[in-house]
Amino acid sequence: MNISIANMTGVPDYRDSFTKAVIKNVIVVVLSISINYINAGLIHTFCGNQIFNTNPRYILFVHLVINDMIQVTLTVALFIISYILYKIHVFVCCILILTALFTTENTPLNLACMAVECYIAICIPLRHAQICTIKRTRVLISLIWITSLVSVLPDLFITLATKPLDYFNTQVFCLRETAFRSPRIIERRNITYIVYLVLVWCIIFFIYFRILFTARIANRHAKKARNTVLLHGLQLLLCMATYAEHLVKQAVLQWLPKYYSDSLFVCYIIFQILPRSISSLIYGIRDKTFRKHLKRYLLCKVNPQ
């Protein structure tokens, strides 16, 4: 059995041996199950405790966790499909890719909103309860999805305008570059990424330095908030790496063509899987209240009463 990973920019296929293909798929599946299991624990903890589901901070957090779960599940499904089926119909690929793109673009926006909530809680605490209400938090989450939809759906509209309908019944190796091939899409995508990242980085930096200033004259809660915003910045940095993935792949193909297949796998782990494990670390481990309730779930009630 010969299983392959192909670069969809016109280079020949790079084929893995059966043993190597199995090892890669096992690693990916084990990592995804581990991440989703922890994230499921976070969601279960959130839903089972009123202290969390009435707090805007945790509502934004659990939205990020659900977003990560969807992203991990879809990217792992696409990874496995690339080995087992190799090619799928374009219309199926478009659905999977668009959904994955929605969740990818949700992440930096959600991080920015969480940082703003943190800033309000530390720098203007007397107005926090008035500004950060449950209703406004839900509206904010809706705006995050609407913004991502407006950003991503033009890929589909441009493809519908430039390709015949029969194109969607053809089969391709499922990547964004193969499903949405118009050069206009690439130009628009680059502009969108730059605007998103510059905007979110400006918000993160502004809030970090404001909280840093507050931490010098305030209590330990401001210092903890500063560290949390710093972790948001780290997660955003990993998100930025996702946008640079295509350039990294091109550089690897040019400089290390022999190891291209293995390099694709490493890029997938670093750019797609690793960033999705950060959310659980920020709250699942650092937040004392969440950690206390999460342990009960992860231990699967080893000592039932």
Side-chain angles (χ1 to χ4, degrees), residues 83 152 223 225 243 248 273 303:
Y83 277 90
V152 171
K223 294 179 180 178
Y243 299 146
V248 173
I273 299 296
N303 299 312

Side-chain angles (χ1 to χ4, degrees), residues 16 26 47 55 58 77 84 123 130 140 169 194-195 197 235 238 240-241 270:
D16 287 332
V26 168
C47 295
N55 187 320
Y58 291 113
I84 297 176
C123 297
Q130 178 186 356
L140 190 61
N169 289 322
I194 291 170
V195 171
L197 293 175
Q235 192 172 9
L238 291 172
M240 288 178 64
I270 293 173

